[in-house]
Amino acid sequence: MSIGRKLLIALPVCLLLTGLTGFAIEKADEAFPPPLAEAAVVSREVDDASGQLLRAFATPEGLWRLKTTVDDVDPQFLKMLIAYEDQRFQEHSGVDFLALGRAALQFVSNGRIVSGASTLSMQVARLIEPRAQRSVTAKLLQIARAIQIERRLSKDQILNLYLTHAPYGGNIEGVRAASLAWLGKEPKRLTAGEAALLVALPQLPEKRRPDRNHAAAVAARERVLTRLAVADVIGDGEAERAIATSVPSRRLQLPSYGAHLAERALRKDAHAAQHQTTLRLAVQRNLEAVAKEGAAKLGPKVSVAMMMADAKTGEIVASVGSADYFDASRSGWIDMTRITRSPGSTLKPFIYGLAFEEGLVSQETIIEDRPADFFGYRPRNFDMSYQGDVSVREALQLSLNVPAIRLLDAVGPAELMMRFRRAEVKPGLPAGEAPGLAIGLGGVGLSLRDLVQLYAALANRGFPLRLGDGIDGKAGLIEAEPLLSPVAVWNVSDALSGVLPPTGSRQRGIAYKTGTSYGYRDAWSVGYDGRHVLGVWVGRPDNGAVPGLTGYGSAAPILFEGFAKSGFGITPLPDAPAGAIRISQAELPISQRRFSLTASGLVNASAREPAPQIVFPPEGSRVELGMDHQAISPLTLKLQGGRAPFRWLANGRPLPELTRRRVTQWQPDGVGYSTLTVIDAVGRAASVRVFIE
């Protein structure tokens, strides 16, 4: 085609663009407004307490299009974008006629398009009202829409539309979604190289996708960086340094944290585009990783739920409903923070707290751990053994069942349930059934959220807190009497803070309690410091048994790891309030030195055990231990009666350690007669003489 014919084609187009378009838009503006309402459709997003993205949901068309404003992006990126795409953006009214004229002359001179003339406003018009074909008619409509948009919106609002709708390959739209998908970060702070990549991709988003056409993406970024106008923005020498940096080669997943809570937020307000929660992104991300790793160690079908709350405000700062939301083998879609299960021994601290509050016991009060019958209810310890006489502090730390039920029998199950109601927690009981002693060992239904709310009161000096739902601000102090008195809470916390950490975990200065439900179905661990409370549930969502599952062995390590990875650090537990002190058993008043309950009520030291008696080996027996062989078996020693702890002596020499068990072992050092003696806690003794061979 000759130069003359090209000129004949280009001139009428230019005349239309410079003259007739403005007249037509003036008349049609009100009748045919731009589709700005449709442009407002964006991905719904759920944010943390500070506005950081937790999880996004695709638009109905399946697009990841996050709302983005000029305040959401690096200012240098905006300068580079305008310098590269539309240098006179702030001066023109939608159409840059100088650029149009230049583009027309270049087309005539070269016979092809050398440079474009689309302004950012025209690009916005094309993005919000895309056309299948590129034609003169489509370009004229684009110009008309650009002028309409300029009349209705400010320059920043126009930029906001571009930043939200610019295409970045696949189903990614908008600078914020692109920065998260390609760079793994919010676009608030970008390097020159990162900003140049985000400027370059929208021109040919599919052909320049870094994951599919990496070389094209690198070349496009270099063209942006070497454009003179862009170089003036980023400064001398910066372009060369930016070109030397790498370009990502794979697409990343957009953030997807707090999945269960995010879905509840959407159900709560289905029309809002943005939902803010009380979660903290860093804490949520780290605890989800802890839960996923913990479940993987525990085996298939096992899930983990975690919840962390601020014990001063009641706000939930992390909520992990399952080990992995997308893991169907672990029923990851079920939010186990809200499912009612048996809490095992996790309610024992509140039983002891009531006993402390009512003055029935102190930490060093002696209490019996022996088989007992409470009108047909016969609790047993988890390991099926008994410790004899123990202090109340030890009974709580060792999570002994019989002492806890003795105290619950004294304070009353109904009183315990009433205290739970003060904290707005309503444990589930079978229909029509009154609370009984079994509630002290897990015979009641509670959720992880309920437990965290109860323990938040312990971390808050006994004053109950209402946990929020993680979505709105309806959290805080409950206007009610204390769950427990500050002195009682201090005694409970002082004892729980002395529980040894699980094997392999470091002591972290927290108070914590574990629990295991009947049949190895649920393992629990709840702990707190002076500011935060963290609860952990481990088990199968289908309520199946998991052999070997225990609160101490399965849930407690996850609790300690969660505190370590939360990022908060440990806030010391509150100091002892007035009137709180731990004194030795000998210094206690006579009424608190020993606790036991008979039909006549609380009695003290008058309730005494029989004297200790050695039942094996019997007096005068001959015991074959293979002393004439290299492998010499130890001798098992058994006793009845007496008050723990016990001191054993062999031929007048004490064995290395005191023991609370009624079965122990002794390794003889030779054949012949030996005298074995046992002395109980109050000095009573028994002896036998045996012959070792």
Side-chain angles (χ1 to χ4, degrees), residues 574-635:
D575 294 333
I581 187 172
R582 176 154 56 95
I583 58 177
S584 68
Q585 199 266 346
E587 295 175 311
L588 288 174
I590 191 67
S591 62
Q592 284 198 333
R593 291 182 182 177
R594 183 174 186 81
F595 176 87
S596 64
L597 202 62
T598 67
S600 61
L602 185 66
V603 295
N604 300 314
S606 60
R608 303 179 64 87
E609 311 85 349
Q613 178 184 359
I614 299 174
V615 295
F616 187 87
E619 171 65 28
S621 62
R622 299 178 72 91
V623 183
E624 172 66 49
L625 296 179
M627 295 298 291
D628 55 345
H629 300 87
Q630 290 185 346
I632 304 172
S633 300
L635 175 63

Side-chain angles (χ1 to χ4, degrees), residues 12 16 51 137 157 169 195 198 249 312 349 352 377 463 534 614 640 659:
L16 283 171
T137 303
Q157 289 172 321
L198 296 180
S249 58
K312 299 301 181 187
Y352 283 84
Y377 179 56
F463 297 98
L534 173 61
I614 299 174
Q640 290 180 347
T659 179

Side-chain angles (χ1 to χ4, degrees), residues 344-423:
S345 296
T346 56
L347 298 183
K348 287 178 182 175
F350 303 96
I351 298 172
Y352 283 84
L354 277 174
F356 287 134
E357 184 177 292
E358 294 183 15
L360 300 180
V361 295
S362 293
Q363 287 195 53
E364 299 303 326
T365 299
I366 298 300
I367 192 168
E368 295 180 8
D369 178 39
R370 291 185 180 81
D373 187 328
F374 299 88
F375 304 99
Y377 179 56
R378 300 180 179 88
R380 297 179 179 179
N381 286 328
F382 185 78
D383 62 359
M384 305 301 290
S385 67
Y386 299 90
Q387 301 294 310
D389 279 0
V390 293
S391 70
V392 164
R393 177 183 176 87
E394 291 171 321
L396 176 54
Q397 290 177 338
L398 296 174
S399 195
L400 301 177
N401 288 344
V402 176
I405 298 304
R406 290 186 189 278
L407 293 177
L408 181 58
D409 189 35
V411 301
E415 177 68 17
L416 183 65
M417 296 290 280
M418 185 273 288
R419 296 302 179 100
F420 291 160
R421 287 194 293 273
R422 285 187 187 177

Side-chain angles (χ1 to χ4, degrees), residues 14 45 81 131 155 260 262 296 307 328 360 365 387 403 422 479 489 500 521 524-525 545 561 569 589 604:
C14 291
E45 61 181 82
L81 174 68
R131 298 282 168 174
K155 291 292 185 179
H260 300 91
M307 180 173 282
L360 300 180
T365 299
Q387 301 294 310
R422 285 187 187 177
E479 297 296 331
V489 169
L500 292 175
R521 287 176 169 82
W524 306 85
S525 188
E561 186 73 5
N604 300 314

Side-chain angles (χ1 to χ4, degrees), residues 528-539:
Y528 57 94
D529 63 5
R531 183 59 190 260
H532 295 98
V533 56
L534 173 61
V536 175
W537 169 87
V538 179

